[in-house]
Amino acid sequence: MQAYFDRIDHRGGTEPTRETLAALVAAHVRHIPFENLDPLMGVPIVDLSAAALTAKLVARRRGGYCYEHNNLLAEVLTELGYHVERLAARVVWMSPEGVDGPPRPQTHQGLAVTIPGSPQHYLVDVGFGGQTPTAPIPMVPDAVQQTSHEPFRLREHGADLVLETLIGQRWRPLYIMGLQPRPLIDLQVGSWYVSTYPESNFVVGLTAALVTDDARWNLRGRNLAIHADGGTERVRFDDAAQVCAELTGRFGIDLSGLGDVEAKVATVLDT
């Protein structure tokens, strides 16, 4: 547990309160990057045990994607005394059809977290990449949660909830979250699928994301977008060497032991 706290630089309390939950979410997204280097390098992500996730995201100072981030945090929160349920979602972010399109597979994971002594559930998601919520979201339809970055809200969608974020003057849907708790085996299947399916974005492209106090850093291929103060700075890297330097520098990812990352990145710079 202390190794995790050191990894995210958490020096606050550990009592299972609303304040502790918010502090852990904020610290996690600022210190452990979102990245898909394992699937890109041909390594399936199936082992979602606490030991495996701690070894990768904490000890080896790597990042990961939703199944890794949220299962690691679920283990921490459970040990601290929170009640945690794992949920599955259908991603509609950046989809032209939004929530009204044909059903997409449930390839994203979030958490429903309850504080001891309180009936209130919070949606916690530290693994949605470039638009990861930076605070717990009350699971109350239409209640707007201001975060250190954008506002978020949940909206009813049949028996499910849609997570939305306000960008500019427009509410945009991120995903449709099912409310039935999922056993870990279901999430292992989802993780295996998105880390091995030949057309998966995680297999055919490079992505990394990290949050700072006032900005979002989103890398896709050779293109870095830094969203801050209502504006966006864009950087286009010339080659794979520059991209790898960004991964180790700005994102703080240890690339050792992964093989020839630079050669692989060179093949997907424009995806």
Side-chain angles (χ1 to χ4, degrees), residues 112-128:
V113 179
T114 307
I115 297 165
S118 171
Q120 178 64 63
H121 287 69
Y122 293 90
L123 173 64
V124 170
D125 182 0
V126 291
F128 195 69

Side-chain angles (χ1 to χ4, degrees), residues 1 7 10 41 60 65 122 145 152 179 204 207 228 260:
M1 180 71 73
R7 176 74 167 102
H10 176 68
M41 299 301 293
R60 291 167 51 201
Y65 61 13
Y122 293 90
Q145 173 64 53
F152 287 81
L179 299 180
V204 301
T207 183
D260 195 341

Side-chain angles (χ1 to χ4, degrees), residues 20 159 225:
T20 299

Side-chain angles (χ1 to χ4, degrees), residues 48-180:
L48 301 178
S49 67
L53 297 177
T54 299
K56 178 182 176 181
L57 277 68
V58 177
R60 291 167 51 201
R61 303 191 69 81
R62 287 281 309 282
Y65 61 13
C66 66
Y67 294 105
E68 299 170 285
H69 279 276
N70 287 318
N71 278 301
L72 175 62
L73 185 57
E75 296 290 344
V76 171
L77 294 178
T78 299
E79 188 170 339
L80 291 178
Y82 295 92
H83 178 69
V84 181
E85 294 177 340
R86 294 165 169 85
L87 305 177
R90 306 180 191 277
V91 176
V92 295
W93 175 242
M94 305 301 288
S95 168
E97 298 166 316
V99 298
D100 298 320
R104 295 188 168 208
Q106 289 185 319
T107 56
H108 181 64
Q109 178 193 342
L111 305 173
V113 179
T114 307
I115 297 165
S118 171
Q120 178 64 63
H121 287 69
Y122 293 90
L123 173 64
V124 170
D125 182 0
V126 291
F128 195 69
Q131 204 58 35
T132 293
T134 55
I137 310 300
M139 296 183 73
V140 177
D142 302 317
V144 176
Q145 173 64 53
Q146 182 63 54
T147 73
S148 57
H149 294 72
E150 305 83 5
F152 287 81
R153 72 180 182 187
L154 288 161
R155 182 171 56 82
E156 290 183 333
H157 183 74
D160 303 322
L161 291 174
V162 178
L163 179 65
E164 299 179 327
T165 184
L166 184 64
I167 299 179
Q169 300 299 314
R170 177 184 171 193
W171 285 100
R172 303 190 185 194
L174 278 70
Y175 49 73
I176 304 170
M177 178 65 75
L179 299 180
Q180 179 180 354

Side-chain angles (χ1 to χ4, degrees), residues 247-269:
L247 290 172
T248 58
R250 187 186 299 262
F251 291 93
I253 301 171
D254 184 352
L255 301 182
S256 63
L258 291 176
D260 195 341
V261 176
E262 185 175 324
K264 184 63 177 180
V265 168
T267 69
V268 298
L269 284 184

Side-chain angles (χ1 to χ4, degrees), residues 206-256:
L206 169 68
T207 183
L210 193 65
V211 174
T212 68
D213 288 342
D214 57 1
R216 293 183 181 274
W217 301 341
N218 297 338
L219 176 70
R220 185 167 181 82
R222 69 169 78 240
N223 299 300
L224 174 68
I226 305 170
H227 304 291
D229 299 325
T232 299
E233 175 188 354
R234 300 189 185 276
V235 179
R236 182 175 173 85
F237 298 110
D238 295 329
D239 53 36
Q242 291 181 353
V243 172
C244 288
E246 195 72 3
L247 290 172
T248 58
R250 187 186 299 262
F251 291 93
I253 301 171
D254 184 352
L255 301 182
S256 63

